[in-house]
């Protein structure tokens, strides 16, 4: 059984197990959301049998362990901020670059979620302002019924970006994959990245680690539950980002070079 992964240069085929296996973690995530009470109960039972240290020395060691854990949790987030320092702003602040990279942020009934739509609005504004000539949309298409890049393309064309100025990356399964593929597959070495404010620092840090001279446009959002969830998630995701930048793993799907960006840039003035 084969699953098609598409690109502007034509069709490529990859073993379905390699791509659908990427979604193996989804049931675990759904289980986590469905049963937080059970998780808390299990943790409570475990903690019930734990006695606090009785000696001053033991209490001191416990404090040291807790402090070390806190430092280890904060270090990756601090690295992201430092790596992206001075390279994040608004659409008005963004420098002129030939390519904008828009990261996927989910679909609802086949259409971009509000957060993804806001990213695409910013990319369309960059294009209309003449700050970028091509928009690379990168997202998840590991399942036939779920196609972020095509939904992003449809949205952009409806908002004034010509179809020939949009390039799709169908294997941007996470931020690191999107950055590495933008560099190695599509030949992007300078770009404006577009995402929400809570994610853009990680995107800039990862793309810089992947070899892209990146500037990030942080899209403003109201401080609602989704925003706070995204911010909390970033603290956890910063650890993986630091490991990706350190170990530089290949993306889940690499494949041959795609000429889409080069072709779009060579097709004339916008």
């Amino acid at each position: 059984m084969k699953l098609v992964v598409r690109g502007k240069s034509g069709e490529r085929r990859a073993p379905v197990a390699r791509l659908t296996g990427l979604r193996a973690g989804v049931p675990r995530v759904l289980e986590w959301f469905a049963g937080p009470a059970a998780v808390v109960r299990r943790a409570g039972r475990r903690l019930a049998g734990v006695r606090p240290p009785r000696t001053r020395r033991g209490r001191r060691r416990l404090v040291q362990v807790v402090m070390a854990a806190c430092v280890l949790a904060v270090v990756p987030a601090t690295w992201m901020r430092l790596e992206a320092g001075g390279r994040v702003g608004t659409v008005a602040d963004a420098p002129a670059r030939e390519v904008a990279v828009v990261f996927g942020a989910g679909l609802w009934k086949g259409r971009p979620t509000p957060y993804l739509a806001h990213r695409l609005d910013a990319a369309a504004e960059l294009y209309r302002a003449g700050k970028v000539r091509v928009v690379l949309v990168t997202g998840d298409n590991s399942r036939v019924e779920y196609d972020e890049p095509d939904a992003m393309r449809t949205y952009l064309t409806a908002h004034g970006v010509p179809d020939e100025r949009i390039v799709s990356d169908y294997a941007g399964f996470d931020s690191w994959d999107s950055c590495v593929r933008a560099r190695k597959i599509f030949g992007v070495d300078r770009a404006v990245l577009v995402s929400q404010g809570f994610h853009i620092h990680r995107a800039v840090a990862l793309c810089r680690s992947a070899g892209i001279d990146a500037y990030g446009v942080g899209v403003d959002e109201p401080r609602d539950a989704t925003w706070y969830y995204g911010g909390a998630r970033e603290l956890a995701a910063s650890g993986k980002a630091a490991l990706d930048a350190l170990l530089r793993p290949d993306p889940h799907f690499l494949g041959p070079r795609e000429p889409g960006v080069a072709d779009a840039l060579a097709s004339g003035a916008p």
Side-chain angles (χ1 to χ4, degrees):
M1 182 178 181
K2 301 287 185 179
L3 180 68
V4 175
V5 176
R6 297 169 295 165
K8 290 186 72 67
S9 62
E11 292 189 347
R12 300 191 306 278
R13 295 184 176 270
V16 67
R18 184 171 187 182
L19 295 177
T20 57
L22 300 173
R23 321 315 303 170
V26 172
R28 290 196 294 273
V29 174
L30 295 177
E31 180 184 4
W32 186 91
F33 278 109
V39 174
V40 172
R41 285 196 298 271
R42 287 197 296 270
R45 286 196 295 268
R46 291 172 182 172
L47 291 174
V50 177
R51 295 180 180 179
R54 295 182 178 182
T55 65
R56 181 178 297 177
R57 184 178 182 181
R59 289 192 292 271
R60 187 185 304 117
R61 287 183 176 177
L62 177 61
V63 170
Q64 291 171 342
V65 169
V66 172
M67 291 180 64
C70 291
V71 169
L72 289 175
V74 170
V75 165
T78 303
W79 161 77
M80 285 193 322
R81 291 281 173 170
L82 293 174
E83 185 69 12
R87 292 175 172 269
V88 173
T90 64
V91 169
D93 300 326
R97 300 282 169 86
E98 291 186 325
V99 181
V101 179
V102 186
F103 297 84
L107 303 178
W108 175 251
K109 296 182 178 180
R111 298 171 63 87
T113 60
Y115 270 42
L116 179 53
H118 296 162
R119 297 181 186 186
L120 296 167
D121 289 338
E125 187 176 350
L126 286 168
Y127 179 82
R128 289 192 296 268
K131 293 197 171 186
V132 301
R133 297 175 55 206
V134 172
V135 180
L136 173 62
V137 293
T138 174
D140 186 349
N141 181 218
S142 60
R143 308 189 306 278
V144 173
E145 70 278 7
Y146 190 86
D147 190 342
E148 276 187 316
D150 275 358
M152 295 162 76
R153 177 186 289 271
T154 299
Y155 187 97
L156 284 172
T157 55
H159 287 76
V161 181
D163 184 73
E164 64 271 16
R165 294 292 173 178
I166 304 169
V167 180
S168 298
D169 175 10
Y170 293 93
F173 299 122
D174 61 23
S175 298
W176 175 250
D177 282 16
S178 293
C179 290
V180 174
R181 285 179 55 82
R183 181 71 183 94
K184 292 186 176 182
I185 302 301
F186 295 93
V188 176
D189 55 14
R190 301 176 76 241
V192 176
L193 314 181
V194 184
S195 187
Q196 267 68 34
F198 54 73
H199 171 249
I200 195 62
H201 291 87
R202 178 159 62 97
V204 171
L206 287 174
C207 279
R208 280 172 55 79
S209 296
I212 298 175
D213 180 5
Y215 184 92
V217 169
V219 179
D220 287 333
E221 296 288 350
R223 300 300 194 262
D224 55 10
T226 303
W227 189 92
Y228 284 109
Y229 167 76
R233 180 180 178 274
E234 282 304 303
L235 186 60
S238 63
K240 178 185 181 299
L243 286 176
D244 285 338
L246 178 65
L247 301 177
R248 302 177 182 275
D250 281 338
H252 294 94
F253 183 78
L254 194 57
R257 288 289 293 259
E258 292 269 359
V261 169
D263 290 348
L265 290 173
S267 63

